[in-house]
Amino acid sequence: MCLVIRDDDGMKRKSFAVDLTSSEIFSSKAYYLEQNDVVYVEPNKAARNNSTVWKTSGSIFISSIALVLTSINILLIK
């Protein structure tokens, strides 16, 4: 599902809810995009779940582990 927001003569805003999986999109007024249209597409649940915890804190965790292991190696070599 996506939302197309269109300014109508600069005074009013119209919004169209469009189901991209339906064949009714071809008869929708929002099928042909116009200049200054805003298209908002919500991410699916799988994309939201994959991008939240591991991608944001995972790189910090791996960098911290690498820093600790490198420090231990340097101390043991001397």
Side-chain angles (χ1 to χ4, degrees), residues 2-6 14-18 30 33 37-40:
C2 77
L3 184 68
V4 177
I5 303 170
R6 177 174 294 159
K14 291 183 179 180
S15 61
F16 305 95
V18 180
L33 294 177
D37 280 356
V38 176
V39 180
Y40 175 73

Side-chain angles (χ1 to χ4, degrees), residues 32-78:
Y32 292 106
L33 294 177
E34 296 180 4
Q35 187 173 2
N36 298 324
D37 280 356
V38 176
V39 180
Y40 175 73
V41 180
E42 290 186 27
N44 61 16
K45 291 178 184 177
R48 278 187 277 157
N49 291 339
N50 288 337
S51 67
T52 54
V53 177
W54 180 247
K55 298 225 176 173
T56 55
S57 61
S59 59
I60 295 171
F61 177 73
I62 291 173
S63 297
S64 301
I65 295 294
L67 177 65
V68 168
L69 292 176
T70 303
S71 301
I72 291 172
N73 271 339
I74 291 173
L75 291 174
L76 289 178
I77 291 177
K78 287 185 176 184

